Amino acid sequence: MEQRQAKRVHLFQRVQVDDGTNVLETFCLDISMRGILLVLPERVNWHLEQALKITLTTEAGEVLMMNCSLVHVDDDVVGCACDSMDLESQQVLRGILETSLEVPSQINRELSELISSSD
């Protein structure tokens, strides 16, 4: 069984993905401080390590933007590692994770790891 360092939460939410050429709509399936799993849009020719800018707008109107690298493509899903996000996006993501995780204190550790890895 695969062990992830970051806690992922299920989140079925519409997102926009900017691949540098096109802006497409698809769906987020789950999210963590370290990355996001998306439904693979039809007719895309993405490749591993490709840069993607992912924008998620919550029901409350908050915007989360992640700069990601594509790390795996399966039959119908795409896994993206979060390379960076601004402070506002981190706060939005923190709110999403805190409301979904059983142990909200886990967020502080994951957020600290994300910040230290971007230094």
Side-chain angles (χ1 to χ4, degrees):
M1 174 180 275
E2 185 177 349
Q3 293 289 324
R4 297 187 185 270
Q5 290 184 345
K7 293 286 185 189
R8 291 180 147 321
V9 297
H10 296 288
L11 178 71
F12 190 71
Q13 177 75 39
R14 185 177 302 275
V15 296
Q16 287 189 329
V17 181
D18 183 344
D19 65 10
T21 304
N22 298 302
V23 177
L24 307 163
E25 285 199 2
T26 190
F27 288 92
C28 165
L29 297 174
D30 68 37
I31 194 166
S32 76
M33 284 289 187
R34 296 278 185 192
I36 189 166
L37 184 68
L38 305 173
V39 173
L40 179 64
E42 292 182 9
R43 295 182 289 280
V44 295
N45 292 314
W46 293 345
H47 55 84
L48 294 181
E49 299 182 15
Q50 181 169 352
L52 301 172
K53 183 174 182 175
I54 300 167
T55 304
L56 180 149
T57 303
T58 67
E59 291 179 12
E62 299 171 304
V63 177
L64 182 158
M65 290 192 298
M66 278 185 168
N67 294 311
C68 296
S69 297
L70 193 144
V71 293
H72 70 85
V73 179
D74 293 322
D75 293 334
D76 56 356
V77 296
V78 175
C80 302
C82 178
D83 298 325
S84 67
M85 72 179 107
D86 62 23
L87 185 57
E88 281 184 38
S89 293
Q90 289 177 19
Q91 291 172 338
V92 171
L93 181 54
R94 181 179 181 153
I96 291 169
L97 297 175
E98 283 180 341
T99 58
S100 301
L101 285 177
E102 295 174 15
V103 185
S105 62
Q106 175 86 21
I107 299 300
N108 290 329
R109 184 178 64 81
E110 291 179 11
L111 185 57
S112 296
E113 288 174 6
L114 180 65
I115 291 169
S116 66
S117 71
S118 64
D119 291 341

